[in-house]
Amino acid sequence: MSLHALSTDAPGEVVILSGNEAIARGGLEAGLGYAAAYPGSPSSEVLGSLAPLARDGGFYAEWSTNEKVAIEGAAAASFAGVRAMTVMKADGLNVALDPLTSLAYSGTKGGLVVVVCDDPGAHSSTKEEDTRYLARACHLPLLEPATVEEAKEMTRWAFDLSEAVGLPVFLRSVTRIAHARGSVVLGALRPPPRTARYDLKDRFITLSVFHQVLHQRIAQARARFEQAPFNRCEGPADASRLVIASGPSFTYAREAVRLLGAGDEVRVLKLGTTWPLPEDLLGAQLRGARQVLFLEEIEPFLETEVKSYWAQHAAALGPMTFLGKASGHVAGSGDPGVGELTPEIALRAVGALAGREVALRSEAFARKVEQVKLGELAPRALAFCPGCPHRASFWAIKAALELDGRQGVVLGDIGCYTLGAMQTGYFTLKTVHAMGSGVGLASGFGKLDLLGFTQPVVAVIGDSTFYHAVVPALVNARYNDSPVLVVVLDNATTAMTGHQPHPGTGRHAMGDLAPALPIEAIARGLGLPTEVQDPLQVDETVESVYRLLRTDGAKLLILRSPCVLLPSVKRLRRAAVDTTRCIGEACGCGRFCNRAFSCPALVWDRALERARVDEVLCSGCGVCIDLCPREAIAFQELA
Amino acid sequence: MGRGPSELQAQVLAADLCTACGACLGHCPYLKTLGERVAFIHPCPRDEGRCFEVCPRASLDPESLDRQVLGAPRRHPVLGGHDGLYFARALDADVRARGQYGGVATALTLFALESGLAGAALVTGGTPTRQPHAVVARDRDAVLAAAGTKYSACPTLEPLAGLLREGGEALAVVGRPCQVAAARKVEAHEKNGRLAALIGIFCFWALAPAFYRFLAGRPDLQRAIKMDLPKDGDMAFVVNGRAASVPLDEIRPLIRAACQTCFDPTAEWADVSVGSTEYDPAWNTLVVRTARGRDLVERAGAAGALEVRPYPPERIPILEEAVQRKKLRVLDALESGRPEAAYLRIPAAQRDAVRAHGRA
Ligand SMILES: Cc1cc2nc3c(=O)[nH]c(=O)nc-3n(C[C@H](O)[C@H](O)[C@H](O)COP(=O)(O)OP(=O)(O)OC[C@H]3O[C@@H](n4cnc5c(N)ncnc54)[C@H](O)[C@@H]3O)c2cc1C
Ligand SMILES: Cc1ncc(C[n+]2csc(CCOP(=O)(O)OP(=O)(O)O)c2C)c(N)n1
Ligand code: SF4
Ligand code: SF4
Ligand code: SF4
């Protein structure tokens, strides 16, 4: 990444930035004074690139405990007249929604930009949500960049819009913007003014009477959208075939028109301001169109909005055919509205609009693809890293539940350990929902005893998740005396999203030391019996889980061992198989280490017919040493 | 039908018929125990396994065990094969003080170790109010520390497979009847004669782990150093030198499910079996069953470890009746097709003999 490029004040210079960096740069060029975020792919690198620049740049940046407090902190800055930004993934918006819908009523002052990165195709998400619906539900304006360059420009513009209409403004990015790289023309940096102050004449109150004010503000935003530089039309003005596209789909549309040689017959309307729709501009573009194709991700949002506009103005606009997700011309990887829009899908759809055949692949290329024997590639399941403490934790939890024998139910949560629902975690987790939900569910299950429920209940959460959303659920379980066992897999970091610090790590986003808030101190403060155990000591962990399963009330077990990928975790030794003690299939263990425990570093040596430790992969956690029934695995010190 | 882990899981573990003898443990990394429960912590991929072979609840064939142990068909339909029935007690004062009754089981174990007959003894350690654990005893202190009855199903045989795999020492085992039967099934595979002495203790039922949960709610009993189950009486405790008791009706629901269908209260395939006399708490009932058992008792007696006297003839019917009652209940279960009793392979002639006994 290009910290230097991000922070150079060289207007006019062209640099290569990722979409997330471009958004950060847009903030810096807008005089950003306050940035707060909770990590979540694909959004994490926005704050990740702002934080190291904050001290020198004279602005504030923080990793917040969750998205709700992130937006509340940013709103405070806005109320004090400071330009503020908050960043999250789509799931995070759900968490922040209550304050955000309130801010829409109360209004804001300093520019407040809410960056939400959607993840079409759910490359790194459990859900595939389309933020645009929520922008409409909040009644807040939304911008959608089509390129990396535009992401920067729009961010800057969004601050102006926010101040002009007195509302938070959404910038909706997607994975193919966030993680793409592109050239960006730098503008001038603008240091934030040192004038933060709450003017006591200001009042930011959420009251239903402001619903009407909100509608007026949205009307103002719509008016500005009519003039926004992010909407434009390409192609012959009299073409009756029109593509309406937003986000990266616009670039696919443009490419498709070029590949099809349909530039004389097809117009492409690029919309960068997708809610509220700039209706005058839209009406002008629809006039004369007879066939309209929509290209957008994820859901048919523009498609429905435009159809609704057309229905209102049908008499003036005349009959029109709509091609898109509803008509089946645009389908994601699954149903319409599922999966990413690819250039291929766009090409096929524009082909249908233009009535042209398309060769998706040149013959030569198609032949090449055939020759790659994809079917022969070994399928690889998602798996915990070698030596990951989560694997040991799930092994122990599962063993303890089998020994307990009462059909205990393990409820999952969100983090690397979500893989506990898959083979690598022995299919231990039976439910996965939102951050903190596992504990809320557990609390509920725990109270079903009245209705004949006798199974013990375990919730498995991560350390970052604990602070994010677990605490209220824990309070609930404690208050209502629900007999749940909450197991915190404390790997000393927010691993899944790239090792961001959290309140337990003793560090802030800006790198300075912070007071660490140990999970056990919080839990004990709630009056919960709390134990700490190293999950790499498997027998002891099994024993702890087993014992706690059989105690009354809510209780907490912290399984503490750092993520093996943390730079501070040094690899001092590794495991090695003594091939005289391992007797292969003759043992009867059924390749226990390699097949049952299945750390990826434990491979089966087909020539020797013995287990072998892959010396590159092994992180030296030592769990297999304890599990091997023949004591055939031992540590080897690394020089 | 297979004879492996899946069958053990389906027929014994999932059916709640496991007696927690511990014989299936220690062979593999899949079967584990905690809190007197035995479970597969991960599915074992094998079709056949020692776990199933040695389990006394996978199947129990009294005829073939009689043949293996006695070399002959059984001579007594209710008490099992034996050639001597006695009252006995230890002579060592420490053993008498620590033993449950006369301390015979402990005295014989000590003698086996001290005479070099066995290099190690498998006994059951702990105090009566906390979950007990298996102990591999190699000296007097360890054997003495494990004296006294713990009324739950400790998987004492857990270390057995490991001991037989490594090292070459001879072993003595003190166990409940289910454990003695399991040890005989192990012996059928280990033909090297390392199981040198099998000392069985009588057992009409053991308590489930829930018993310890029950005790957790009874702080007054937590520090009991002795527990007893007098015939037809309440459960008796000795706490700080004082007697306390819990009505049997409160205890009965805590009996381990598997014990309800146990056909062998006197450890019929042990070398010797030791029980209470239900008469004089300073003495034990001692049943000598095998030549090896006879030899052990005689040598221990000669060495001054043990005092033996004839069983009072008028008390024999009382003992037989108690055992017969239990066997008849289980036979009823078996014959009414209850799956919990299906593990028993009892030929018709033997069933008839149990029924006919004492009716002459
Ligand atoms: C669960 C249970 C129920 C019993 N019920 C009866 C009964 O109804 N009628 C009757 O006559 N006798 C019963 N007994 C046997 C009796 O309590 C004495 O253990 C036996 O008479 C030996 O007495 P002792 O004086 O020789 O004991 P000790 O010299 O004290 O020796 C007892 C031996 O048994 C071992 N032991 C203790 N607890 C267990 C256990 N849970 N599992 C395996 N081994 C153990 C000890 O380690 C020790 O080696 C029962 C025993 C158990 C464990
Ligand atoms: C509401 C919400 N915010 C953010 C995310 C993104 N996210 C997924 S996993 C995760 C981190 C979990 O960290 P932790 O609980 O410490 O578990 P680890 O990954 O370290 O095992 C985050 C922030 C999300 N899925 N939902
Ligand atoms: S020590 Fe064993 S379990 Fe741990 S990483 Fe190495 S091979 Fe895997
Ligand atoms: S009865 Fe014994 S051998 Fe059978 S499953 Fe239980 S512990 Fe294992
Ligand atoms: S009653 Fe039978 S099955 Fe139960 S512990 Fe005693 S000997 Fe074993």
Side-chain angles (χ1 to χ4, degrees), chain A residues 295-545:
Chain A
L295 292 176
E296 60 186 321
E297 290 173 314
I298 303 165
E299 307 275 357
F301 179 82
L302 277 178
E303 185 171 332
T304 359
E305 289 279 307
V306 171
K307 281 181 187 169
S308 142
Y309 174 86
W310 173 84
Q312 192 65 34
H313 302 87
L317 292 170
M320 248 175 235
T321 315
F322 296 107
L323 280 58
K325 291 183 169 148
S327 70
H329 287 90
V330 179
S333 57
D335 283 332
V338 176
E340 277 195 303
L341 192 83
T342 61
E344 268 184 22
I345 296 170
L347 191 58
R348 227 179 275 123
V350 176
L353 177 74
R356 291 181 187 228
E357 275 294 315
V358 271
L360 290 179
R361 286 177 177 147
S362 75
E363 259 176 49
F365 183 68
R367 248 193 326 271
K368 244 184 178 168
V369 170
E370 297 261 293
Q371 279 159 11
V372 183
K373 300 217 165 73
L374 286 173
E376 285 176 20
L377 289 177
R380 286 191 308 163
L382 284 172
F384 292 126
C385 301
C388 173
H390 292 346
R391 176 179 291 103
S393 296
F394 281 113
W395 182 264
I397 292 168
K398 183 188 64 116
L401 283 162
E402 294 292 354
L403 286 161
D404 176 82
R406 289 175 294 164
Q407 305 260 305
V409 188
V410 190
L411 310 163
D413 222 290
I414 306 293
C416 284
Y417 54 90
T418 303
L419 290 182
M422 302 180 189
Q423 160 87 59
T424 189
Y426 320 110
F427 303 108
T428 305
L429 298 178
K430 302 301 180 219
T431 69
V432 171
H433 294 89
M435 293 186 78
S437 293
V439 182
L441 282 166
S443 179
F445 276 118
K447 297 312 295 183
L448 296 180
D449 53 344
L450 197 69
L451 301 163
F453 191 84
T454 55
Q455 295 156 279
V457 178
V458 183
V460 176
I461 62 167
D463 43 345
S464 189
T465 300
F466 175 87
Y467 302 98
H468 178 284
V470 163
V471 175
L474 211 53
V475 171
N476 192 72
R478 167 82 178 125
Y479 170 52
N480 293 301
D481 193 25
S482 187
V484 302
L485 171 59
V486 176
V487 181
V488 189
L489 307 191
D490 180 2
N491 57 2
T493 189
T494 318
M496 181 87 173
T497 48
H499 289 162
Q500 292 82 5
H502 62 59
T505 57
R507 261 190 321 107
H508 283 140
M510 288 160 70
D512 45 0
L513 292 179
L517 304 171
I519 293 169
E520 54 269 45
I522 297 172
R524 288 188 182 128
L526 295 175
L528 291 164
T530 301
E531 293 184 21
V532 184
Q533 168 70 46
D534 177 356
L536 302 184
Q537 297 182 317
V538 176
D539 286 349
E540 289 82 347
T541 307
V542 174
E543 206 280 322
S544 298
V545 175

